[in-house]
Amino acid sequence: MTESDLDRDTAYMRQAIELAREAGRHGEVPVGALVVGDGGIVGRGFNRPIGTHDPTAHAEIMALRDASARLANYRIPGHTLYVTLEPCAMCAGAILHARIARVVFGATDPKTGVSGSVLDLFSEKRLNHHTTVVGGILAEECGGLLRDFFAMRRNKSVSGA
């Protein structure tokens, strides 16, 4: 990875972090995602499963839906998806079906992450599409949002609020 690649990835991850903060303001787990092509951002999303009563409304899915609608295509080849948390199996499947070329994530997810934490679906040779994955971009900041969110939730449940 070149320095300019790292600079670009860091800049887009900062924007994904802002979307994660928006999720937190809505009472959702703070995860944000962007879909980026040569012309810039084509899709944005943040976690919405609680507010929409939709278990599929993860940040990645919301960003893919936004990008697909804007591009009028369910395939999004040649694009990069930036997400603040390592994708789960559901999101990885959607990413692969959309033909996303590259995923860049922030924090690892040791409980449900499938980019190497629990499984590595993106490196499964038997699948018909392969996506390049880069992890750990602004990992501490991304992980901090999640730690703070869950600490606040634990404190509310302990205090009875």
Side-chain angles (χ1 to χ4, degrees):
M1 177 182 293
T2 68
E3 179 128 359
S4 66
D5 289 337
L6 181 58
D7 290 344
R8 181 191 65 235
D9 289 349
T10 300
Y12 281 122
M13 188 61 72
R14 289 197 188 289
Q15 292 185 56
I17 288 169
E18 287 308 311
L19 289 166
R21 287 190 175 111
E22 184 66 19
R25 286 191 287 275
H26 287 275
E28 303 276 356
V29 176
V31 179
L34 301 170
V35 177
V36 177
D38 289 338
I41 299 170
V42 296
R44 291 176 172 81
F46 56 85
N47 265 5
R48 301 283 297 159
I50 297 167
T52 61
H53 310 290
D54 179 358
T56 69
H58 289 193
E60 299 96 320
I61 302 295
M62 302 306 286
L64 290 171
R65 288 175 181 165
D66 188 32
S68 292
R70 289 175 192 254
L71 298 172
N73 196 337
Y74 72 107
R75 300 276 197 228
I76 316 171
H79 288 71
T80 299
L81 185 136
Y82 292 87
V83 61
T84 57
L85 181 64
E86 180 181 2
C88 70
M90 175 187 68
C91 292
I95 290 163
L96 291 167
H97 283 290
R99 303 298 193 257
I100 292 290
R102 189 166 171 262
V103 171
V104 178
F105 71 86
T108 58
D109 186 346
K111 294 183 179 180
T112 64
V114 297
S115 299
S117 289
V118 176
L119 299 171
D120 193 351
L121 286 180
F122 292 107
S123 70
E124 176 54 56
K125 301 287 187 232
R126 294 172 291 181
L127 295 174
N128 67 333
H129 176 74
H130 298 95
T131 299
T132 302
V133 178
V134 175
I137 303 296
L138 298 178
E140 188 55 40
E141 189 171 348
C142 294
L145 286 173
L146 293 159
R147 281 189 300 277
D148 292 349
F149 175 82
F150 287 112
M152 184 179 69
R153 273 192 138 168
R154 280 190 299 278
N155 288 339
K156 279 185 178 180
S157 67
V158 169
S159 68

